[in-house]
């Protein structure tokens, strides 16, 4: 079972897009809970999270969310990113076979061009991050966010695609 963790700030519309892509996995029993870690939103982010049945943590850290997660595996996503159909099977296969962290793959349409990959700034959360709760607790430092956790960590690529937040 997976707990999805999403950090937000004024992301009501992007959050709704991301949550919509999780519904089938929740119905299949893969997604156990969704935790929204809000960093001071002044829009309707809370209402979107409440309507979707998410746990809404305001003024708490990512470490608090990881500790509260009920799943043995954690899926960190950015608001606005969308997982493409078929991702639950790829995630389930990875969790059963390989203990390490993983990221989703981008389709060729969403892959940055060569020069952008070489010279551009890299957002470590743009491809999501799937890792065990045990690993996250061992690596996450107080005051750090999901990007800090994802930066520099060796991951495998899942055979499932993601549409990053900036393209969603």
């Amino acid at each position: 079972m997976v707990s999805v963790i999403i950090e937000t700030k004024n992301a009501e519309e992007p959050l709704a897009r991301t949550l919509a892509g999780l519904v089938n996995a929740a119905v299949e029993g893969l997604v156990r809970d969704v935790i929204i870690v809000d960093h001071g939103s002044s829009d309707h982010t809370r209402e979107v999270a409440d309507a979707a049945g998410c746990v809404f943590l305001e003024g708490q850290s990512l470490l608090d969310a990881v500790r509260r997660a009920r799943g043995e595996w954690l899926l960190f996503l950015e608001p606005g990113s969308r997982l493409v159909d078929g991702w639950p099977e790829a995630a389930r296969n990875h969790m059963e076979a390989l203990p390490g962290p993983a990221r989703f793959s981008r389709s060729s349409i969403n892959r940055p061009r060569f020069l952008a990959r070489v010279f551009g700034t890299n957002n470590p959360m743009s491809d999501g991050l799937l890792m065990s709760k045990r690993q996250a607790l061992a690596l996450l430092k107080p005051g750090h966010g999901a990007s800090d956790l994802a930066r520099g960590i060796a991951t495998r690529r899942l055979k499932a695609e993601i549409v990053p937040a900036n393209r969603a």
Side-chain angles (χ1 to χ4, degrees):
M1 296 266 238
V2 175
S3 290
V4 178
I5 300 177
I6 304 170
E7 289 185 288
T8 63
K9 182 172 182 181
N10 294 329
E12 65 181 283
E13 192 272 328
L15 179 62
R17 279 197 313 260
T18 300
L19 294 175
L22 300 174
V23 172
N24 287 341
V27 170
E28 292 174 13
L30 178 65
V31 173
R32 184 165 184 160
D33 56 341
V34 178
I35 301 171
I36 307 301
V37 181
D38 189 71
H39 299 294
S41 291
S42 58
D43 63 357
H44 298 286
T45 299
R46 176 186 280 280
E47 288 82 358
V48 170
D50 287 343
C54 302
V55 174
F56 191 82
L57 302 179
E58 189 172 19
Q60 295 185 39
S61 71
L62 185 65
L63 187 56
D64 295 328
V66 169
R67 288 180 180 144
R68 185 168 177 158
R70 295 175 17 201
E72 293 177 28
W73 282 81
L74 307 175
L75 174 56
F76 297 93
L77 294 172
E78 290 185 305
S81 63
R82 292 179 314 184
L83 297 171
V84 177
D85 291 339
W87 76 267
E89 182 180 348
R92 195 174 277 122
N93 290 342
H94 176 79
M95 292 183 297
E96 290 172 359
L98 303 164
R103 297 179 198 272
F104 292 90
S105 300
R106 293 191 207 182
S107 66
S108 59
I109 290 174
N110 295 309
R111 219 172 271 136
R113 295 179 184 226
F114 176 75
L115 291 176
R117 287 192 311 259
V118 172
F119 297 110
T121 57
N122 181 24
N123 177 357
M125 283 304 300
S126 62
D127 297 337
L129 178 64
L130 177 67
M131 69 186 326
S132 72
K133 182 175 181 177
R134 179 184 52 77
Q135 290 170 322
L137 286 170
L139 294 172
L140 194 59
K141 296 179 176 120
H144 282 198
S147 291
D148 299 312
L149 180 63
R151 190 171 285 112
I153 191 169
T155 58
R156 294 185 183 269
R157 284 283 168 187
L158 295 173
K159 292 184 180 178
E161 295 180 350
I162 189 169
V163 177
N166 59 352
R167 300 234 186 222

